[in-house]
Amino acid sequence: MNNHVTVLEIDSKALEHNLNYFKQKLEPTTKVLVVVKAFGYGSDAIKIAKFLEDKVDYFAVAYTHEGVALREAKIKKPILVLHPQIPNLGSIIEYRLEPNLYNYKILKAFLALADEKVTMNFPIHIKFNTGLNRLGFWHTDVSVILSEIKASNNVRIESIFSHLAASDDLEEEEFTVSQINNFAYIVKQFYEHLGYEPMIHILNTSGVVNYSQAQFDMVRLGIGLYGFGNDAQVTSELQNTHKLKSIISQIHQIEPGETVGYNRAFVAKRLTKTATIPIGHADGISRRLGNENGYVLINNQKAEIVGNVCMDMIMVDVTKIECKEGDEVVIFNSQEMINEMAENAETISYEVLTAISQRVKRELI
Ligand SMILES: *Cc1c(COP(=O)(O)O)cnc(C)c1O
């Protein structure tokens, strides 16, 4: 049992609000897949999946073991595994996860296993690379994929998909539209030659906001569900889902000339009051936030991080803040604070959220 006082609260009402915000931008028939990879963007994939299971159509995870964890938690909805590897294919079948097959090697390996186990119409997904150049078949691979798959009774293409490289950036609109058009052309060839019509999908969160005309049969929502749109306007219409909080473990009075923390990085210029908080870089607080580059809130006032971020602790300046040991400390509780923290740590909101380590207790509120 984790009784750690440093807690990440996940706001279920905010999650539902955000889901509905995106649903309103879609046709009622468009399916919604929720991406819960990386522990649900650093929250809790199982709690989120349980909460959303009857409100969405599909889940996706990056790796097979993330999908196995959801199945072991009794999640019944289809789960797309975005990045399976050949050694995982047995577990994919055993747990009825649905693999993304992105190159010949894994397609052939899966077909062989499906034949061996006589899986009969096992749902698979085929991903095409249309410009991200990360994972996926090329448009020139269509006819070979078609002949391989048409020869097997043991698999059925459940969906064909692709991923946009810059859906959040309207300056890249021309490129994005060409990705969408190339994808549509690939799909057309499948529809003409396959004998049935798999679902198709290409949009992530910012794709839904900027290119809803390309929603096709399903969209894949990730960061938006957790409160972040691609611009300030959309973000303001979403609600914050992540609140990271802790308490003050100890308060110190530091005389001028004394130092705080490792390598004596902070030197007190005047009588300084510091508070020690039980959260550090092993919990996901970037070391870049040390030395007054980041802050927390104590009794609604900003307390800057002084000295270096330790593995398990930070020290903050509370000279001007009325507070005592045991008081609540807010690491972040709004999208603005998360964005500011991301900026201070030279990263993006996605990384701030996914960096929160598993040592931090999670609570769905
Ligand atoms: C992570 C991921 C998503 C979700 O993207 P967001 O920008 O968080 O909405 C969608 N599709 C794929 C293939 C992904 O890897």
Side-chain angles (χ1 to χ4, degrees), residues 1-10 38-39 41-45 47 242-247 277-286 311-313 329 331-332 341 352-364:
M1 185 60 210
N2 182 349
N3 285 322
H4 199 25
V5 296
T6 300
V7 177
L8 177 69
E9 284 180 2
I10 307 145
F39 302 104
Y41 288 53
S43 61
D44 186 318
K47 289 191 170 93
H242 285 54
K243 174 180 179 181
L244 182 57
K245 61 174 197 178
S246 189
I247 62 163
I277 322 295
I279 187 168
H281 62 72
D283 302 291
I285 302 298
S286 168
M311 188 184 294
D312 314 303
M313 281 170 262
V329 176
I331 319 300
F332 53 69
M341 191 165 163
V352 170
L353 300 184
T354 58
I356 304 165
S357 77
Q358 291 301 299
R359 188 166 69 176
V360 174
K361 182 176 170 180
R362 268 74 173 161
E363 280 173 5
L364 187 76

Side-chain angles (χ1 to χ4, degrees), residues 70-349:
L70 292 180
R71 282 283 181 260
E72 283 178 341
K74 305 275 183 297
I75 298 296
K76 298 280 187 298
K77 277 270 149 75
I79 300 171
L80 164 58
V81 179
L82 293 165
H83 200 167
Q85 309 286 348
I86 288 174
N88 316 135
L89 297 179
S91 304
I92 295 245
I93 292 175
E94 186 185 342
Y95 288 88
R96 255 198 119 67
L97 302 169
E98 303 184 2
N100 164 26
L101 303 176
Y102 48 87
N103 66 14
Y104 284 125
K105 200 169 158 69
I106 197 161
L107 174 65
K108 287 215 175 243
F110 193 80
L111 286 171
L113 195 64
D115 286 343
E116 184 190 315
K117 299 202 185 259
V118 200
T119 53
M120 295 310 290
N121 292 323
F122 197 93
I124 61 170
H125 302 255
I126 305 287
K127 186 177 199 181
F128 280 91
N129 169 34
T130 53
L132 183 58
N133 293 327
R134 188 173 73 172
L135 210 57
F137 284 101
W138 287 70
H139 64 95
T140 45
D141 298 326
V142 172
S143 54
V144 186
I145 300 169
L146 274 167
S147 62
E148 291 279 350
I149 284 177
K150 280 166 79 175
S152 170
N153 293 326
N154 288 318
V155 299
R156 179 189 157 85
I157 303 180
E158 198 63 29
S159 89
I160 301 168
F161 72 109
S162 186
H163 195 36
L164 297 173
S167 60
D168 56 333
D169 184 356
L170 287 173
E171 285 186 8
E172 294 289 357
E173 184 169 354
E174 203 180 316
F175 182 82
T176 305
V177 169
S178 80
Q179 276 197 280
I180 293 167
N181 291 341
N182 291 341
F183 176 61
Y185 182 68
I186 290 166
V187 168
K188 185 163 165 276
Q189 290 167 274
F190 271 89
Y191 281 12
E192 276 168 11
H193 300 288
L194 189 64
Y196 58 93
E197 300 193 347
M199 286 194 297
I200 62 178
H201 46 109
I202 193 168
L203 299 183
N204 65 335
T205 296
S206 39
V208 172
V209 175
N210 288 334
Y211 302 94
S212 66
Q213 74 276 12
Q215 62 191 267
F216 299 116
D217 299 311
M218 185 157 80
V219 299
R220 305 187 301 270
L221 285 182
I223 195 80
L225 206 61
Y226 308 103
F228 293 86
N230 37 308
D231 61 29
Q233 174 58 33
V234 175
T235 299
S236 75
E237 291 173 49
L238 298 171
Q239 291 176 7
N240 184 51
T241 55
H242 285 54
K243 174 180 179 181
L244 182 57
K245 61 174 197 178
S246 189
I247 62 163
I248 298 177
S249 290
Q250 195 173 11
I251 289 179
H252 293 287
Q253 302 285 349
I254 312 290
E255 297 290 332
E258 282 195 273
T259 63
V260 176
Y262 286 130
N263 303 104
R264 312 190 64 198
F266 175 80
V267 184
K269 292 193 188 68
R270 56 190 77 80
L271 186 65
T272 303
K273 186 167 69 160
T274 65
T276 302
I277 322 295
I279 187 168
H281 62 72
D283 302 291
I285 302 298
S286 168
R287 276 189 90 249
R288 292 204 169 101
L289 298 171
N291 301 306
E292 286 121 285
N293 290 318
Y295 68 90
V296 300
L297 291 180
I298 294 174
N299 296 327
N300 281 321
Q301 286 171 273
K302 284 189 186 182
E304 285 186 327
I305 301 176
V306 293
N308 287 315
V309 171
C310 308
M311 188 184 294
D312 314 303
M313 281 170 262
I314 51 175
M315 281 71 87
V316 300
D317 186 342
V318 290
T319 308
K320 294 189 179 128
I321 302 174
E322 224 177 276
C323 59
K324 57 185 188 308
E325 291 168 354
D327 279 1
E328 184 178 278
V329 176
V330 171
I331 319 300
F332 53 69
N333 63 356
S334 66
Q335 294 112 309
E336 295 74 42
M337 261 186 106
I338 293 168
N339 278 332
E340 212 177 325
M341 191 165 163
E343 226 168 88
N344 292 337
E346 295 167 51
T347 182
I348 54 173
S349 55

Side-chain angles (χ1 to χ4, degrees), residues 10-82:
I10 307 145
D11 183 337
S12 62
K13 274 224 176 81
L15 272 175
E16 196 167 358
H17 167 91
N18 297 341
L19 176 65
N20 290 334
Y21 172 88
F22 290 102
K23 278 188 173 172
Q24 277 167 17
K25 293 194 174 290
L26 299 169
E27 300 296 328
T29 49
T30 303
K31 291 193 160 100
V32 174
L33 172 153
V34 167
V35 182
V36 291
K37 63 191 177 192
F39 302 104
Y41 288 53
S43 61
D44 186 318
I46 290 171
K47 289 191 170 93
I48 291 210
K50 282 190 172 160
F51 176 69
L52 294 178
E53 185 157 26
D54 58 0
K55 302 174 182 69
V56 302
D57 302 284
Y58 247 88
F59 291 113
V61 292
Y63 296 113
T64 305
H65 62 94
E66 297 178 306
V68 170
L70 292 180
R71 282 283 181 260
E72 283 178 341
K74 305 275 183 297
I75 298 296
K76 298 280 187 298
K77 277 270 149 75
I79 300 171
L80 164 58
V81 179
L82 293 165

